[in-house]
Amino acid sequence: MPRVKAKVIGSGFGGLAAAIRLQAQGFETTLIEKRDKPGGRAYVYEFDGHIFDAGPTVITAPHVLDELFALGGRKTSDFVDLIPVSPFYRLCWEDGYRFDYGSDEKELLQQIEAKSPPDLEGYKEFYRYSQEVFEAGYTELVHVPFLEWKMMLKVAPKLVRLKAYRSVYATVSRFIQNEQLRQALSFHTLLIGGNPYAASSIYVLIHALERKWGVFCVRGGTNVLVKQLVRYFEELGGKVRLNAPVSKIIVENDAVQGVRLEDGEVLGADIVVSNADVNHTYTQLLAGEKRVRKQQRRLGRMSYSQALFVLYFATDKTYPNLAHHSILFGGDYKNTLHTIFKTGKIPRPNSFYLHAPCRSDSSMAPPGRDTFYVLANVPNLEKAEVDWKDYAETYADEVLAYLEKWYMPELTKHVIYRRTLTPLDFKTELNAHLGTAFSLEPTLLQSAYFRVHNRDPQVRGLYFVGAGTHPGAGIPGVINSAKATAQVIHQDWKVADVVSGREWVYGA
């Protein structure tokens, strides 16, 4: 019998994971990528021996990679070298306070007690709560596709008991009194597109997740993981098309028939999985399709994550006192976030994430030099009062001046290369709606069943993976979205496993 053909649009981690699962499951799978390199946001830039991961740099929950490689009887270590990062993050404030947040429980508790003795017991209670939320929100639900309302009704009592209607910051504040420790335990949602003052408290599970499995980087950069996932996909028999932007998902008789590329080429398919931005998929790739108009209107009413300004830079000297991952808090925490998410202005001072990969992997820069990127949360293009075409380099100067003042002496005279990525670039290069970095904002009423479903309810054969669908953004999130989506596809299409020759069975 002819094999069922699957086309996956977009080669971000969600698309890669979906393509691998489908290919292993027996589909004839082609991965279609707009850009010249795979990876989506996990792109890579290079300059004179400096390697800049363009996007995600924090690897957590490594078991999601183990599951993917196990589909073909392989191990993660066959393809990449994961390096433990310690501390996970160094949290820094302008008053000179430093907090090394990591896996060493004794060191963690000592730092909390030294900062705020009354918060020691409070932190222990918070950690127990985080573990409980982790079991309910991650272990039980992260890979489960929420396609029907009754699934939400089933989990609703547990969410109410865990007070998922509270924000992350409000939840942390129930246990912790000191303001800087509150910030230290609530910033994580910013890494998946959520305002700690609005994101559901279900996301405090990230704390338990990191303490359970740790934080890692990939030797050679996250881009190496992307390359190795592509290699693995091709070893399974999958095909990759680069420089192939999709202009339309072809639908006839309420079912997908394939995709049309911008150059006019048509690629037939029984199944289309979109790892593209969900709004872009519905409003552009499905433009004119009457069956999806309701979803198009719904997406127009939903709230979206913040955008990012990213500055990649290289120096002709090293800064060994920095940590691999640093969170630099500037100004008033609550006001900073309000300014970003509500006003459309860039807060001054802002807060930043600073990535210094050479602290764990010296191969990311030539000897005697250093490689960095600094990330600032900024308003998305719906709210922004900034013309990034004119302002990008000016803001880059401001960011470098801030780093020089507080953390990296004489920085500006040692910068030998710099490159910016703005919300406008996210919109044009990644088709990100409003230039957002993480798609839909992870509020309670935009999580699980309320996100874009893993399977479209109106167009047969159309599926979604990535940040805009369940469970959401972040590497574990989008890879688990592929697991959920592949499970639905398996239920819809019975296919033999090309690796083992048996019918596919979903396990861990």
Side-chain angles (χ1 to χ4, degrees):
M1 294 178 62
R3 293 174 64 190
V4 180
K5 294 182 179 180
K7 299 295 186 288
V8 179
I9 303 172
S11 64
F13 277 113
L16 279 166
I20 288 167
R21 284 188 175 275
L22 293 180
Q23 185 64 33
Q25 191 173 331
F27 294 92
E28 183 181 315
T29 309
T30 303
L31 188 60
I32 307 168
E33 170 57 45
K34 169 187 176 180
R35 305 173 87 182
D36 63 333
K37 298 173 187 174
R41 284 165 171 73
Y43 200 71
V44 61
Y45 303 113
E46 298 184 45
F47 164 76
D48 192 26
H50 295 267
I51 301 171
F52 302 91
D53 279 323
T57 56
V58 180
I59 307 295
T60 57
H63 71 282
V64 299
L65 298 175
D66 297 338
E67 288 180 3
L68 281 181
F69 289 117
L71 296 174
R74 308 294 295 276
K75 298 179 180 179
T76 303
S77 58
D78 295 337
F79 292 86
V80 294
D81 180 15
L82 295 182
I83 305 172
V85 175
S86 183
F88 299 161
Y89 309 93
R90 176 165 293 157
L91 311 175
C92 306
W93 288 263
E94 292 175 355
D95 64 3
Y97 179 58
R98 302 288 186 269
F99 185 88
D100 280 353
Y101 165 55
S103 60
D104 189 319
E105 183 175 39
K106 182 179 179 180
E107 182 180 346
L108 198 62
L109 295 177
Q110 286 176 343
Q111 290 182 87
I112 292 170
E113 186 173 27
K115 178 64 173 175
S116 177
D119 284 329
L120 182 61
E121 292 305 314
Y123 170 76
K124 293 177 182 178
E125 291 181 23
F126 168 73
Y127 181 44
R128 286 192 290 269
Y129 172 79
S130 177
Q131 289 176 306
E132 185 178 5
V133 176
F134 171 82
E135 291 301 324
Y138 187 91
T139 304
E140 297 180 18
L141 301 177
V142 72
H143 60 282
V144 176
F146 280 76
L147 301 178
E148 299 176 349
W149 175 245
K150 65 182 181 182
M151 298 183 69
M152 281 302 294
L153 294 179
K154 185 178 180 180
V155 303
K158 186 173 292 186
L159 295 178
V160 171
R161 182 175 60 82
L162 293 171
K163 296 181 172 60
Y165 50 84
R166 293 179 182 266
S167 73
V168 167
Y169 182 86
T171 298
V172 170
S173 298
R174 290 173 54 212
F175 301 97
I176 303 296
Q177 299 176 23
N178 180 268
E179 177 57 26
Q180 287 176 318
L181 293 180
R182 287 176 174 180
Q183 295 171 22
L185 295 170
S186 67
F187 78 90
H188 284 89
T189 55
L190 291 166
L191 304 180
I192 58 169
N195 180 350
Y197 287 89
S200 165
S201 65
I202 201 77
Y203 294 101
V204 301
L205 66 82
I206 299 173
H207 181 74
L209 181 148
E210 290 181 337
R211 292 237 5 221
K212 180 180 179 66
W213 286 307
V215 170
F216 299 83
C217 66
V218 180
R219 190 173 303 281
T222 308
N223 67 95
V224 172
L225 175 57
V226 170
K227 293 173 185 175
Q228 292 303 308
L229 286 171
V230 171
R231 171 193 152 196
Y232 173 52
F233 172 61
E234 291 178 329
E235 287 181 1
L236 290 174
K239 297 179 181 178
V240 179
R241 293 283 302 269
L242 300 176
N243 298 301
V246 173
S247 63
K248 186 174 181 59
I249 297 173
I250 302 169
V251 179
E252 295 179 7
N253 299 320
D254 300 329
V256 298
Q257 302 296 315
V259 299
R260 179 179 293 117
L261 305 184
E262 285 187 359
D263 64 6
E265 182 181 1
V266 173
L267 304 177
D270 304 290
I271 289 171
V272 172
V273 180
S274 180
N275 183 215
D277 177 271
V278 290
N279 193 289
H280 175 78
T281 301
Y282 274 108
T283 62
Q284 303 300 315
L285 303 186
L286 291 167
E289 296 297 333
K290 295 180 181 180
R291 299 282 285 178
V292 301
R293 286 179 180 173
K294 182 179 179 180
Q295 181 71 302
Q296 291 170 343
R297 291 193 296 269
R298 176 173 174 260
L299 283 167
R301 296 190 299 267
M302 298 180 80
S303 62
Y304 291 81
S305 81
Q306 79 276 28
L308 298 176
F309 173 86
V310 191
L311 172 62
Y312 310 90
F313 63 98
T315 59
D316 60 8
K317 64 168 287 186
T318 62
Y319 289 85
N321 292 331
L322 295 173
H324 188 129
H325 304 295
S326 295
I327 307 296
L328 314 177
F329 292 97
D332 178 81
Y333 185 61
K334 185 175 183 178
N335 184 62
T336 295
L337 296 174
H338 177 79
T339 302
I340 292 167
F341 283 89
K342 300 298 182 182
T343 72
K345 298 179 181 179
I346 298 175
R348 287 179 172 77
N350 205 344
S351 294
F352 304 96
Y353 160 68
L354 179 63
H355 181 231
C358 294
R359 301 298 82 75
S360 301
D361 180 5
S362 62
S363 71
M364 301 296 283
R369 297 185 188 179
D370 230 331
T371 296
F372 302 95
Y373 86 56
V374 59
L375 175 157
N377 292 290
V378 296
N380 65 41
L381 298 177
E382 179 183 36
K383 303 179 178 73
E385 300 178 357
V386 174
D387 182 351
W388 285 108
K389 286 184 179 179
D390 295 332
Y391 191 60
E393 292 305 319
T394 299
Y395 192 52
D397 289 339
E398 290 184 30
V399 172
L400 289 174
Y402 181 88
L403 294 177
E404 181 174 74
K405 177 180 178 179
W406 294 102
Y407 302 103
M408 304 174 71
E410 301 184 332
L411 171 62
T412 52
K413 73 179 184 180
H414 289 287
V415 173
I416 57 174
Y417 169 85
R418 69 190 222 182
R419 180 190 187 111
T420 63
L421 186 70
T422 74
L424 194 59
D425 296 317
F426 276 83
K427 180 180 179 180
T428 57
E429 293 295 318
L430 296 164
N431 296 323
H433 181 57
L434 301 176
T436 60
F438 307 97
S439 190
L440 296 171
E441 190 177 356
T443 59
L444 180 60
L445 294 181
Q446 293 191 167
S447 299
Y449 175 81
F450 303 110
R451 291 184 89 73
V452 171
H453 293 176
N454 301 80
R455 175 182 62 205
D456 181 83
Q458 302 295 331
V459 178
R460 193 165 61 254
L462 176 60
Y463 303 87
F464 289 87
V465 294
T469 189
H470 174 71
I475 291 179
V478 298
I479 292 180
N480 274 307
S481 79
K483 183 175 182 179
T485 300
Q487 181 178 344
V488 176
I489 293 173
H490 170 64
Q491 294 168 354
D492 295 345
W493 304 74
K494 299 298 183 182
V495 181
D497 183 347
V498 297
V499 176
S500 66
R502 59 176 170 79
E503 183 179 348
W504 190 253
V505 177
Y506 277 83

